């Protein structure tokens, strides 16, 4: 005897031009089929909302295929196993997986690997930390900084989106390495938090004045690593302050994702030539084999208090269309998480 | 008894806006002083005309200081020792040095290193080859391709300014490494030459049609290394065709040097992210310690016919202002050299 569960879902209805609106989404309900051998049914507890989602909504070649029209929107999340015909997963266990923007994800045995399903240890971090420092943003910050940026003690690291999910990991890790760390963020609250709570050396409030002046003041020895989450004018400004052999890690360009005009390329890119510097892109999935090692290291920092994390949790699957926009209007403070169930 | 030699010189009179004109230069004559101990007097035979010269005419921070107003214009060249009070250099010997745009360069002992003065072996290459494959363009191509680009056999290398001084070295070296090599150049003559004489696999004539179409046709497996001498639209177009882990070597941006509007940044730079690619600048001077090794290797290729070189020689010091412009209007075909004396 099973009770038929109704699964509420949010699907991509149309590709957005500029900022996504409700018109780009379709809300659907469907009964969940019965499980067959190998299936795991996961109830979504928390979903990760990420700037990259905006890119997945566009048509065209990228590092992963776009979400198809009428498909459930792609999202990583933390859930609880509520039914299982897979001996590796027991009811009640907490897992991380690509759950999608829906209340339940039925994962077939053949899709286990692609979904990224794995059990999480709540002793290592809370569910929302598993979407933040111990999740994709943490992995992105870890491998982007350590592998692409290659920080050395004493160097100056600048990170934009400093109070965001990736930025907080990058800045704290760079401090652990022994770097001078300067964040760039919007507003006093975020800037104060990364300095006072996370221990950044300084934070430039791009809403309060020219970033150029802040860089002059807070990076007296220039910039050795710039970890870029935003693109646009800020990238261009940092390019004027880089040191010889600087590394610019291109992680994202949130300022450009909702453009209805062409992306603004970095006009100061010839600073790379003058300074023998490099600008390099990264996609976190390339490091999947090494996630366990990075998670163990980061969990250790959380446990010993060397790293902190901040998540902003908004409740309600149905708020997804508006909550997503908080990433783009700067309202999110910390990792943005959608709470779907307790 | 010495004869007082009169030295004709060309000095920077004013910083140009856009393309330099005669008004940016001042022609001077001055008698050469008598030599003191340690001095070497070099008569200029050939001067190297390079796109980088345009940058040296601008004010502002770069990889070397700008040429000062009223200073003799900076230029590398090949000359002959005509007087010497330095036991290391004998009258009649041929040398390479930063001679400047003038008929004679008097090099004091204290300036020897800064001037880069060294004897050249005319058995290894002609004087103009010593300004081309065996000179700064050759060194730039060699270290830019081999060290920054890191080509592997079977990869596809695209080089812009393919018939220019740096481009010809890059393309031929990449062939020697075992790469597929596609040039980009302006006009049928240059394109035919790099394919038929230098052995490139193909060359895209940017004046004849969209570079994008040429890349699709001639780089069926995408682009692994793009060696960029031009910047602008061509850089942006190549960025749409790069492969995963591609390397873009930023050597120059001749399309942008005479801009009176801001430099056009590469709008498609996020292709670096999608493709985990890197864009890296290089300045040849960093490799000075390794010039002898590279010269020996390249001279070997010239001797055995595995590499060819082409120089375009224009005679007359006084033609310098107009001859320099051939770099920017595409009239030069091969390495542009100014012949000053026999």
């Amino acid at each position: 005897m099973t009770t038929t569960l109704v699964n509420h879902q949010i699907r991509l209805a149309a590709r957005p031009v500029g900022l996504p609106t409700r018109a780009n989404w379709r809300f659907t309900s469907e009964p969940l089929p019965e499980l067959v051998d190998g299936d795991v049914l996961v109830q979504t507890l928390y979903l990760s909302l990420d700037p990259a989602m905006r890119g997945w909504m566009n048509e065209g070649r990228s590092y992963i295929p776009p979400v198809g029209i009428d498909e459930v929107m792609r999202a990583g999340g933390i859930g609880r196993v509520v039914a299982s015909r897979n001996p590796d997963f027991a009811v009640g266990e907490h897992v991380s997986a690509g759950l999608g923007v829906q209340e339940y994800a039925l994962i077939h045995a053949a899709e286990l690997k692609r979904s990224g399903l794995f059990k999480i240890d709540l002793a290592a971090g809370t569910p929302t930390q598993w979407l933040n420092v111990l999740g994709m943003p943490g992995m992105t910050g870890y491998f982007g900084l350590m592998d692409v940026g290659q920080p050395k003690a004493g160097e100056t690291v600048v990170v934009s989106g400093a109070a965001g999910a990736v930025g907080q990991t990058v800045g704290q890790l760079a401090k652990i390495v022994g770097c001078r760390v300067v964040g760039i963020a919007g507003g006093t609250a975020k800037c104060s938090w990364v300095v006072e709570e996370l221990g950044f050396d300084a934070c430039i409030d791009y809403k309060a004045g020219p970033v150029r002046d802040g860089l002059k003041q807070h990076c007296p020895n220039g910039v050795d690593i710039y970890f870029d989450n935003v693109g646009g004018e800020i990238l261009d400004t940092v390019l004027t302050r880089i040191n010889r052999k600087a590394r610019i890690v291109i992680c994202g360009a949130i300022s450009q994702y909702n453009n209805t005009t062409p992306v603004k390329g970095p006009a100061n890119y010839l600073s790379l030539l003058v300074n023998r510097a490099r600008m390099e892109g990264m996609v976190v999935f390339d490091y999947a084999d090494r996630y366990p090692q990075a998670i163990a290291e980061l969990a250790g920092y959380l446990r010993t208090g060397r790293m902190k994390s901040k998540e902003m949790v908004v409740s309600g699957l149905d708020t997804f269309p508006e909550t997503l926009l908080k990433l783009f209007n700067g309202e999110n403070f910390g990792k943005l998480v959608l709470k779907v169930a307790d």
Side-chain angles (χ1 to χ4, degrees), chain A:
Chain A
M1 283 298 297
T2 58
T3 310
T4 300
L5 287 167
V6 174
N7 186 21
H8 291 97
Q9 304 167 312
I10 301 185
R11 294 171 184 269
L12 184 63
R15 303 208 179 276
V17 176
L19 279 173
T21 67
R22 283 237 157 200
N24 298 113
W25 305 110
R26 199 155 61 82
F27 292 68
T28 56
S29 305
E30 59 183 31
L32 283 162
E34 291 207 26
L35 276 60
V36 299
D37 276 350
D39 282 359
V40 181
L41 182 66
V42 179
Q43 181 182 20
T44 304
L45 302 180
Y46 296 95
L47 290 174
S48 176
L49 301 196
D50 297 285
M53 289 172 137
R54 181 62 188 81
W56 304 340
M57 297 171 74
N58 293 335
E59 199 139 22
R61 178 184 168 203
S62 187
Y63 60 95
I64 45 173
V67 175
I69 297 294
D70 279 331
E71 283 181 11
V72 173
M73 180 60 192
R74 184 186 293 146
I78 299 297
R80 190 169 40 222
V81 176
V82 290
S84 178
R85 289 184 62 177
N86 185 314
D88 294 335
F89 294 90
V91 170
E93 289 180 330
H94 284 80
V95 293
S96 174
L99 299 176
V101 184
Q102 56 185 347
E103 290 180 312
Y104 295 93
L106 179 62
I107 300 170
H108 302 301
E111 294 167 357
L112 271 180
K113 190 177 163 67
R114 195 170 61 89
S115 77
L117 185 71
F118 68 95
K119 286 182 239 190
I120 63 169
D121 175 5
L122 292 182
T126 63
T128 60
Q129 285 177 329
W130 275 100
L131 293 180
N132 188 13
V133 181
L134 304 182
M136 284 305 105
M139 297 302 99
T140 302
Y142 185 93
F143 292 106
L145 179 70
M146 303 304 276
D147 274 55
V148 184
Q150 298 183 8
K152 291 183 277 295
E155 289 190 320
T156 297
V157 175
V158 171
V159 56
S160 54
V166 174
Q168 57 182 262
T169 295
V170 168
Q172 292 182 94
L173 262 180
K175 285 303 300 177
I176 289 169
V177 171
C179 297
R180 175 173 180 79
V181 176
V182 176
I184 302 175
T188 312
K190 293 178 185 175
C191 283
S192 300
W193 178 69
V194 300
V195 172
E196 286 160 25
E197 293 296 318
L198 302 190
F200 285 31
D201 295 285
C203 189
I204 298 165
D205 180 359
Y206 70 83
K207 292 182 177 172
V211 169
R212 187 177 173 79
D213 295 349
L215 291 170
K216 279 187 188 171
Q217 182 184 345
H218 297 299
C219 305
N221 300 319
V223 177
D224 298 296
I225 296 178
Y226 173 50
F227 195 105
D228 189 28
N229 293 305
V230 302
E233 293 291 344
I234 290 179
L235 170 57
D236 240 340
T237 302
V238 178
L239 277 167
T240 67
R241 309 293 303 170
I242 59 173
N243 287 334
R244 207 184 261 213
K245 292 284 176 192
R247 289 82 74 198
I248 296 176
V249 184
I250 301 293
C251 175
I254 200 168
S255 72
Q256 306 294 308
Y257 290 167
N258 292 291
N259 277 7
T260 52
T261 53
V263 165
K264 189 195 166 321
N268 296 323
Y269 84 102
L270 288 174
S271 177
L272 298 176
L273 188 164
V274 172
N275 293 296
R276 304 80 157 148
R278 69 179 154 85
M279 183 182 278
E280 185 163 351
M282 63 92 55
V283 173
V284 67
F285 306 144
D286 296 347
Y287 301 92
D289 289 349
R290 293 164 58 199
Y291 290 167
Q293 160 221 325
I295 290 172
E297 182 177 337
L298 292 166
Y301 296 139
L302 284 176
R303 191 174 56 243
T304 57
R306 294 186 80 187
M307 280 183 73
K308 297 177 181 175
S309 76
K310 185 180 187 75
E311 299 90 39
M312 180 183 192
V313 180
V314 178
S315 291
L317 185 77
D318 290 353
T319 73
F320 170 76
E322 291 75 28
T323 303
L324 182 66
L325 299 186
K326 292 183 189 296
L327 291 169
F328 304 112
N329 61 22
E331 279 181 26
N332 70 307
F333 184 173
K335 165 67 193 167
L336 186 63
V337 172
L338 189 69
K339 183 173 180 177
V340 177
D342 276 313

